[in-house]
Amino acid sequence: MTTSHDIIVVGGGGAGLRAAIAAAETIPGIDVAVVSKVYPMRSHTVSAEGGAAGAIAEDDSLDEHAYDTISGGDWLCDQDAVEIFVKDAPKELLRLEHWGCPWSRQPDGRIAVRPFGGMKKQRTWFAADKTGFHLLHTLFQTSLKYDGVHRYDEWYVSKLLVDDGRVQGVVAVELTTGRIETITAKAVILTTGGCGRVFPFTTNAAIKTGDGMALAYRAGAPLKDMEFIQYHPTGLPFTGILITEAARAEGGYLLNKDGYRYLQDYNLGTPTPTPVLRSMELGPRDRLSQAFEHEVAKGRTIDTPYGPVVHLDLRHLGAKLIDTKLPFVRELCLKYQNIDPVTELVPVRPVVHYTMGGVHTDIDGATPVDGLFAAGEVACVSINGANRLGSNSLPELLVFGTRAGRAAAWHVFRHGKEPTQAVLSQAADERRRLQKDVLEHDGGDERISAIRTSMQTTMEESAGIYRSGDSLAKAADTLGELQERLPRAALDDRSLAFNTELIAALELSAMLDVAESIVASALRREESRGAHQRTDFPARDDNRFLAHSLAVREADGSCRVDYLPVTITRWAPGERVYGR
Amino acid sequence: MADTIAMEVARYQPGEDGAPTMARYDVPLRKDWVVLDGLNYIKDEIDGTVTFRWSCRMGICGSCGMTVNGEPKLTCATFLTDYAPGPVRVEPLANFPVIRDLVVDIDDFLDKLSEVKPWIVRDEAPLSAGEYLQTPEQLEEYRQYSMCINCMLCYSACPVYGLDPEFVGPAAIALAQRYNLDSRDEGAAERLDVLIHPEGLWACTFVGDCTRVCPKHVDPAGAIQRYKLTAALDTLKHYVLPRGGR
Amino acid sequence: MSVRQTATAVRGRYQPRISLWWWLTKPSYLLFVLRELSSVFIAWFIVFLLLFVRAVYQGEGQYERFLDFAANPFVVFVNLVALAFVLLHTVTWFVLTPQALPLHLRGRRVPGGLIIASQYVGWLVVSAFVFWLVVGW
Amino acid sequence: MRRRRPVEPLVWLLFSGGGVVTAILVPVLLVLLGLAFPLGWIDPPPYEHIHAVLGHWIARIVLLGLCVLGFVHWAHRFRYTLHEGLKLQRLDAQISLLCYGLALIGSVWAVYILLFTG
Ligand SMILES: Cc1cc2nc3c(=O)[nH]c(=O)nc-3n(C[C@H](O)[C@H](O)[C@H](O)COP(=O)(O)OP(=O)(O)OC[C@H]3O[C@@H](n4cnc5c(N)ncnc54)[C@H](O)[C@@H]3O)c2cc1C
Ligand code: SF4
Ligand code: F3S
Ligand code: FES
């Protein structure tokens, strides 16, 4: 069966909903479909806690936000994109305010802003410590008022249909019934989020399996800067639940096993009782996570069944401040770790959190494939460079979600074409593949969960906070073997109704492709920059690598890495300085 | 502490089973494992066909609601040890049609949610005019009702919804109230028109279990009662002062 | 707007049914039904009250007869049960008032506990007044 | 377009009013009339006293309010109890007629006694 829309938005998170609304508002009467593998309000944007950056304070300026972003990204950001980003971010956040987002306020009723890691000024808007939750529900509820926005809730997109050099739709499985359907469109916007689940220990939800990256990669769009994986310094051990940076912004300390604020040993400034912006605990995430690894090496961390940890100390903040500014942190600690941060130390360790890289797009979200757009964490515009600053991602998905939505609407209006016959037969092939090779595949001797676990441990061991050429090369081999094992996996579940195992198999296949691109890009980048730290190349090398990596899928499935120069407008590459 | 615990999981395969049956699995009993970890263990290690929803594992996405030993719970926030020595009975949320195993159909809620217009109703001011001012006290007025994660535990606990599927139900009414009480909103009258009919507010007989089971302390029961009072006074005004008055 | 083909979607769903005895399945449900049944005893007492008033209006003889009727063990028993239900009604009603009626004093929400407490105080005052009125001391 | 206003909200208002009045007044009256006097915990007041109290027009009005609201309170709650407790949703029209009808009859009786006798 085939249905068609003008635009398909794959993904119902912050980026997807914002793009859908923007498209609906740009061209009246346009028909937009939001296809999401979970109900939109379940998307991972819901988990974001700390806030969203947008310069509005009187002592702040767009240039300072741009500079913090660019230096935080170790000069790998495209500066034209950053300039657009910082200019539009406050507007988008304001629009969310008009749509009902319950931003926290100052006593006089104006928006309140808080400090955040790596930001020199207070510019992070927040809705207590459930910013992403409120942002996503505001967007979702607002989207309900647009008649032109049609939702496919709990549909999994398994393939992009590309022919004649342009994208023409998707093939998707309706989870509840197992129906495999072709949905054609004149433009497709990917907003499927990141791929944290490639790693074993992550803050990311179960759904963050890099599907969109794999879809684009297989459809011929390159993946940019995939080697840059952000570790957040403070995750709860075992669950990987994130303790937001706001906990440090409000004055939390990081202590090693001797109760010592160890960050002072790593060029991050000198300890002060109250937080100082861009210093100590408010340094950028990559540096904090790296400092942790050094503490492990020095034997100054605390051992637990779930690996080494350090302590986050919030006790001196007092119950009152914690309950008003960080209620969710306290709730999470109590509910999932059985710890009360008002009286106890919170064990934390670095945890995979965010993918800086993603589908290569221009500043309008357009990918090199005609009609294919991407926005949000799945995309790499790039404003995050080698390391994203906390609270830049929520505004990113609003700003570039909007731009992609608008650009896609105009694309449909100006260049929209009907699907070709070839695409429909492609769709039929994909249907047959899902049916025969996956669902009805017999006689396999592999378990999906076993392959997934091997992939995750391989990634952690070789592409973690510190990497080396040897370990990466070995990882590339292992991933190749796993790719060969995957077709031998058989499903226990042959049912059509809500077959989560089928989805798990498709997700695993996406994750393997993405993992290969991460390892290939990391292997080629022989320098250390931001979140990519090579033990065999410890210095930054602007001569060779002030460039974006582009992972391109070859016809045989292997990964080729090209480079693209970084756009520099006003800020020449300099040294990243914190704590001074 | 014993090192395993038995989990009894409801299984239902559409087209094959007439009604759900219970299957029994032994899973490791660990101090920090929640019911959802037990289910994932079963799926990964014992039986890949066991079907349930989950995502965030931090009590915020609202997808993992199930009935645990008779009570609606977020399974990612319910420790197995609380049920030791077991067995732990895991069933789908009550009052919803079961799609498969532990997965229920909640589309009915989404339709009702759209009906109550959960968005700011007013002519939008230009962005250049800046934010709509809202003091922390005004924010506090509706904050509690904005915390709903749409987990459907309240619907599962509400016997009225089970008996009368037309009932708009706790979370949707609480969300309508969330916008009514928002100082930026002007849509209260429109929403009242939707909710003033018998299946709207009045079907609720204040059983109160919705509030008792809500993991986010939304207090939908209170929201509905407040709403009834507003609706009643508004109607009174309408009859007493047929023309002016509003 | 959600796109879902109802025809296929509905097929094969298991539609759970609520049993006639649902209110016995959880303590909170049982309490709810008992609370609702308190209304029956309220109705009974009002009838009882009206009979009393009528007797008083009809003269001393009728009044004495009413007192005899009220002293009938069966009537006393019914009233005893009624009292239990009426108290349940009073207590549950007071508990839910702050949920339904958020009060504000100088821009701040009055805490629920305070509302409940002041209801009890009011209740005691009114009861004392009625007692004084009826009994005369 | 505004829908026609249903009467449900007004009935609910009466129901709630009944809830409040009965919650406050019924316990003390029930203890006195139903238990304390018949069981001799307290001597019943002399006839003249009680006649004087109940004959006063304020007492008549207050008691009328209590009785009418109390009946409506019963009718409304009992209707929903039958409706849900016994799964009789299909018979809602008949049940409503029965409950509110009885409440109406009771109220008329109360008016008769309190305003037109003694
Ligand atoms: C715990 C946590 C806290 C964070 N805190 C902050 C913060 O304070 N500030 C900040 O700026 N950023 C924060 N971030 C980062 C930020 O939340 C994310 O980067 C951002 O929400 C990603 O949004 P998205 O719209 O791109 O994707 P998501 O919200 O992840 O949505 C992805 C969507 O794609 C759909 N999808 C995926 N694959 C498919 C498929 N194959 N078929 C159909 N649909 C599919 C999913 O169903 C989902 O709807 C945080 C991240 C985490 C993990
Ligand atoms: S009101 Fe509470 S229980 Fe109901 S859906 Fe919302 S969060 Fe869940
Ligand atoms: S449980 Fe149901 S009856 Fe009302 S108070 Fe809650 S919605
Ligand atoms: S998994 Fe998200 S709420 Fe439990």
Side-chain angles (χ1 to χ4, degrees):
Chain A
M1 222 177 10
T2 305
T3 48
S4 80
H5 297 274
D6 291 326
I7 299 180
I8 296 173
V9 180
V10 185
L17 292 171
R18 188 64 193 91
I21 294 175
E25 287 190 332
T26 302
I27 311 268
I30 202 163
D31 174 358
V32 184
V34 175
V35 186
S36 172
K37 65 180 176 180
V38 294
Y39 283 96
M41 69 282 184
R42 317 275 190 230
S43 301
H44 191 61
T45 301
V46 83
S47 311
E49 298 168 19
I56 47 157
E58 266 130 44
D59 66 341
D60 201 358
S61 70
L62 299 182
D63 277 4
E64 283 174 281
H65 188 187
Y67 180 79
D68 285 348
T69 303
I70 291 164
S71 59
D74 222 346
W75 275 272
L76 199 68
C77 317
D78 281 331
Q79 297 183 3
D80 54 342
V82 173
E83 289 190 60
I84 287 173
F85 165 69
V86 297
K87 186 158 94 16
D88 282 1
K91 293 189 206 155
E92 281 296 330
L93 296 175
L94 206 54
R95 181 163 284 119
L96 255 285
E97 194 280 327
H98 284 190
W99 286 347
C101 188
W103 296 116
S104 294
R105 306 283 178 150
Q106 303 173 29
D108 65 358
R110 294 191 345 238
I111 299 289
V113 282
R114 65 161 45 139
F116 229 71
M119 301 276 189
K120 226 172 4 210
K121 290 281 164 63
Q122 302 207 4
R123 64 168 71 97
T124 296
W125 303 38
F126 59 103
D129 51 5
K130 289 192 178 169
T131 309
F133 162 78
H134 285 300
L135 188 141
L136 184 66
H137 279 253
T138 303
L139 277 173
F140 176 61
Q141 289 164 5
T142 303
S143 81
L144 296 174
K145 82 177 176 197
Y146 293 89
D147 289 335
V149 177
H150 303 268
R151 292 198 331 268
Y152 289 71
D153 294 339
E154 301 197 313
W155 285 64
Y156 181 90
V157 172
S158 75
K159 187 179 169 64
L160 291 177
L161 298 172
V162 181
D163 179 54
D164 189 21
R166 62 192 167 96
V167 71
Q168 307 186 15
V170 303
V171 174
V173 186
E174 182 184 37
L175 260 71
T176 52
T177 59
R179 199 152 49 98
I180 303 166
E181 185 150 350
T182 310
I183 312 172
T184 62
K186 294 160 187 156
V188 173
I189 309 176
L190 293 173
T191 58
T192 54
C195 64
R197 285 272 155 182
V198 167
F199 290 83
F201 185 61
T202 173
T203 59
N204 284 197
I207 57 173
K208 301 205 69 171
T209 50
D211 298 343
M213 295 170 183
L215 289 172
Y217 182 56
R218 292 168 188 164
L223 300 181
K224 185 159 76 188
D225 293 341
M226 290 303 287
E227 61 273 40
F228 298 100
I229 303 288
Q230 177 164 78
Y231 276 77
H232 193 292
T234 56
L236 293 179
F238 176 55
T239 57
I241 289 173
L242 176 79
I243 298 304
T244 169
E245 196 154 283
R248 282 170 283 131
E250 296 297 343
Y253 302 150
L254 282 174
L255 306 177
N256 67 12
K257 83 170 185 217
D258 309 319
Y260 171 72
R261 290 174 73 182
Y262 60 91
L263 293 178
Q264 57 190 290
D265 296 356
Y266 301 97
N267 224 344
L268 281 157
T270 42
T272 48
T274 49
V276 172
L277 296 174
R278 280 174 67 104
S279 167
M280 286 297 289
E281 281 84 1
L282 287 185
R285 292 174 179 177
D286 54 344
R287 299 282 279 273
L288 263 56
S289 297
Q290 288 152 20
F292 173 89
E293 289 288 298
H294 289 289
E295 287 292 296
V296 175
K298 291 182 194 161
R300 302 203 298 193
T301 50
I302 301 109
D303 281 321
T304 73
Y306 305 110
V309 300
V310 288
H311 282 142
L312 177 65
D313 187 358
L314 303 177
R315 296 172 301 181
H316 54 286
L317 301 180
K320 189 152 174 273
L321 187 141
I322 293 178
D323 282 342
T324 47
K325 294 272 184 71
L326 305 165
F328 196 42
V329 167
R330 190 170 185 196
E331 181 186 328
L332 290 171
C333 289
L334 282 169
K335 275 241 178 74
Y336 302 90
Q337 206 83 16
N338 218 353
I339 277 178
D340 187 351
V342 171
T343 53
E344 290 169 273
L345 295 168
V346 184
V348 292
R349 56 173 287 209
V351 54
V352 168
H353 184 53
Y354 185 84
T355 357
M356 266 71 75
V359 182
H360 170 46
T361 74
D362 66 12
I363 52 176
D364 287 318
T367 72
V369 177
D370 193 30
L372 181 64
F373 298 79
E377 196 173 337
V378 69
C380 180
V381 177
S382 97
I383 64 150
N384 296 314
N387 171 55
R388 172 183 73 106
L389 288 195
S391 79
N392 260 354
S393 153
L394 293 176
E396 173 184 359
L397 55 89
L398 296 173
V399 168
F400 292 100
T402 305
R403 292 180 74 90
R406 273 195 210 130
W410 284 117
H411 176 88
V412 169
F413 188 69
R414 298 203 182 106
H415 314 290
K417 290 197 207 113
E418 292 308 312
T420 56
Q421 207 50 44
V423 136
L424 298 181
S425 67
Q426 252 185 50
D429 287 346
E430 171 69 1
R431 269 208 296 274
R432 215 167 303 124
R433 179 182 81 90
L434 292 181
Q435 196 73 42
K436 291 271 169 323
D437 298 352
V438 188
L439 205 52
E440 290 166 14
H441 175 65
D442 268 327
D445 51 357
E446 294 277 2
R447 277 196 84 79
I448 305 233
S449 57
I451 302 179
R452 187 170 56 217
T453 308
S454 316
M455 171 193 71
Q456 289 170 336
T457 38
T458 307
M459 292 303 282
E460 175 165 72
E461 280 160 13
S462 59
I465 296 178
Y466 283 99
R467 300 127 178 221
S468 76
D470 293 345
S471 67
L472 287 165
K474 228 188 287 143
D477 292 342
T478 315
L479 291 174
E481 285 159 26
L482 293 177
Q483 287 278 26
E484 278 163 28
R485 277 166 63 187
L486 183 62
R488 295 207 303 273
L491 305 185
D492 288 350
D493 196 344
R494 301 302 168 90
S495 159
L496 285 175
F498 225 96
N499 190 328
T500 45
E501 222 192 358
L502 168 66
I503 301 304
L506 298 175
E507 287 173 341
L508 176 58
S509 142
M511 286 194 285
L512 280 174
D513 284 1
V514 172
E516 283 190 323
S517 75
I518 294 173
V519 168
S521 309
L523 188 57
R524 279 290 305 278
R525 187 176 286 275
E526 297 177 331
E527 65 156 354
S528 290
R529 182 189 297 270
H532 174 72
Q533 296 290 319
R534 287 277 296 257
T535 48
D536 42 355
F537 296 94
R540 193 171 93 186
D541 181 353
D542 283 346
N543 287 334
R544 287 172 68 205
F545 291 107
L546 187 60
H548 301 294
S549 64
L550 289 180
V552 183
R553 190 170 190 266
E554 300 278 23
D556 64 354
S558 66
C559 181
R560 182 185 85 228
V561 180
D562 297 338
Y563 284 93
L564 186 75
V566 171
T567 309
I568 306 274
T569 57
R570 294 194 278 144
W571 294 273
E575 198 197 335
R576 286 173 79 199
V577 181
Y578 293 96
R580 255 181 271 156
Chain B
M1 196 162 74
D3 45 355
T4 64
I5 186 166
M7 292 182 74
E8 291 175 359
V9 180
R11 305 299 311 266
Y12 172 73
Q13 176 68 57
E16 288 174 21
D17 302 335
T21 53
M22 300 303 282
R24 202 182 157 100
Y25 307 92
D26 286 322
V27 306
L29 179 60
R30 305 215 176 114
K31 181 172 140 283
D32 30 22
W33 272 28
V34 290
V35 172
L36 182 63
D37 291 317
L39 290 172
N40 270 321
Y41 175 87
I42 296 172
K43 184 161 189 77
D44 285 349
E45 308 294 333
I46 308 176
D47 183 349
T49 67
V50 174
T51 302
F52 49 93
R53 293 187 178 109
W54 69 289
S55 182
C56 69
R57 210 217 168 277
M58 55 190 281
I60 189 77
C61 76
S63 53
C64 68
M66 296 167 212
T67 307
V68 181
N69 278 12
E71 282 284 316
K73 291 277 186 194
L74 288 184
T75 50
C76 70
T78 306
F79 286 95
L80 279 175
T81 44
D82 292 347
Y83 298 91
V88 191
R89 207 170 69 249
V90 188
E91 293 161 291
L93 285 180
N95 299 341
F96 292 99
V98 180
I99 295 173
R100 185 176 169 191
D101 293 354
L102 300 165
V103 177
V104 294
D105 182 354
I106 61 163
D107 277 358
D108 178 51
F109 164 73
L110 282 137
D111 294 344
K112 286 172 176 163
L113 183 63
S114 305
E115 267 172 45
V116 303
K117 303 187 195 244
W119 53 78
I120 296 281
V121 175
R122 84 187 252 171
D123 293 328
E124 197 178 334
L127 289 183
S128 54
E131 69 263 50
Y132 303 143
L133 295 183
Q134 182 169 69
T135 62
E137 291 77 34
Q138 288 173 322
L139 173 67
E140 198 50 35
E141 269 307 290
Y142 68 90
R143 195 187 58 82
Q144 179 178 35
Y145 302 140
S146 75
M147 302 307 253
C148 171
I149 60 172
N150 302 353
C151 66
M152 301 292 103
L153 301 196
C154 52
Y155 281 76
S156 180
C158 174
V160 173
Y161 180 66
L163 291 158
D164 176 7
E166 299 291 306
F167 174 39
V168 174
I173 301 180
L175 282 164
Q177 191 69 324
R178 172 245 176 279
Y179 282 94
N180 288 338
L181 297 176
D182 190 323
S183 56
R184 297 167 289 185
D185 177 78
E186 295 168 356
E190 289 179 32
R191 282 182 212 106
L192 190 58
D193 280 352
V194 178
L195 284 171
I196 204 159
H197 63 86
E199 258 69 42
L201 299 168
W202 312 107
C204 162
T205 46
F206 210 160
V207 176
D209 257 38
C210 50
T211 289
R212 194 175 59 79
V213 302
C214 175
K216 298 292 146 181
H217 312 293
V218 173
D219 188 14
I224 300 174
Q225 293 317 107
R226 282 179 75 172
Y227 211 149
K228 282 183 185 167
L229 190 63
T230 319
L233 294 178
D234 191 86
T235 309
L236 197 61
K237 245 195 282 175
H238 179 84
Y239 279 118
V240 176
L241 311 164
R243 255 151 298 152
R246 19 183 324 121
Chain C
M1 200 190 313
S2 142
V3 179
R4 197 156 271 192
Q5 257 129 21
T6 337
T8 45
V10 168
R11 193 184 312 139
R13 296 293 149 93
Y14 172 69
Q15 192 72 46
R17 271 173 199 283
I18 284 213
S19 102
L20 190 55
W21 307 105
W22 62 266
W23 41 276
L24 287 177
T25 57
K26 274 191 212 179
S28 53
Y29 291 169
L30 187 62
L31 192 70
F32 158 76
V33 167
L34 292 179
R35 185 189 82 193
E36 299 300 286
L37 285 179
S38 69
S39 64
V40 173
F41 292 91
I42 287 191
W44 149 256
F45 174 73
I46 287 173
V47 171
F48 182 79
L49 178 70
L50 281 170
L51 290 174
F52 170 77
V53 173
R54 191 181 64 166
V56 170
Y57 288 162
Q58 283 173 347
E60 191 159 4
Q62 292 292 332
Y63 175 58
E64 297 297 338
R65 271 219 261 143
F66 179 85
L67 290 178
D68 288 345
F69 160 73
N72 175 314
F74 179 71
V75 177
V76 171
F77 174 74
V78 171
N79 276 331
L80 209 59
V81 177
L83 182 64
F85 275 93
V86 166
L87 287 176
L88 176 69
H89 167 67
T90 301
V91 170
T92 50
W93 197 270
F94 285 179
V95 167
L96 51 88
T97 308
Q99 261 179 307
L101 197 73
L103 288 183
H104 294 266
L105 266 186
R106 279 182 237 109
R108 276 173 179 273
R109 178 130 176 216
V110 183
L114 200 68
I115 300 183
I116 297 182
S118 47
Q119 290 181 102
Y120 277 106
V121 171
W123 184 49
L124 284 177
V125 170
V126 172
S127 298
F129 175 73
V130 170
F131 186 92
W132 169 80
L133 206 61
V134 175
V135 179
W137 46 267
Chain D
M1 190 205 69
R2 299 183 68 84
R3 296 189 202 193
R4 207 174 57 84
R5 287 268 159 169
V7 289
E8 192 84 24
L10 297 181
V11 179
W12 181 82
L13 212 52
L14 295 177
F15 155 78
S16 302
V20 177
V21 182
T22 54
I24 292 177
L25 288 178
V26 170
V28 59
L29 289 172
L30 179 56
V31 167
L32 289 176
L33 305 185
L35 299 170
F37 298 158
L39 294 180
W41 300 345
I42 299 176
D43 285 338
Y47 176 70
E48 290 68 34
H49 172 76
I50 202 77
H51 186 77
V53 171
L54 290 183
H56 197 281
W57 65 272
I58 295 184
R60 288 176 193 258
I61 298 296
V62 170
L63 286 177
L64 185 63
L66 172 65
C67 293
V68 171
L69 290 177
F71 279 134
V72 177
H73 177 81
W74 163 78
H76 194 69
R77 262 204 165 157
F78 196 62
R79 168 188 160 201
Y80 276 104
T81 312
L82 287 183
H83 192 123
E84 279 148 19
L86 298 179
K87 298 219 296 178
L88 296 176
Q89 295 95 319
R90 281 171 301 108
L91 299 180
D92 188 42
Q94 290 89 323
I95 292 176
S96 301
L97 193 68
L98 183 79
C99 291
Y100 298 120
L102 279 177
L104 187 69
I105 294 172
S107 301
V108 170
W109 186 49
V111 167
Y112 170 72
I113 290 179
L114 285 162
L115 301 187
F116 298 100
T117 49

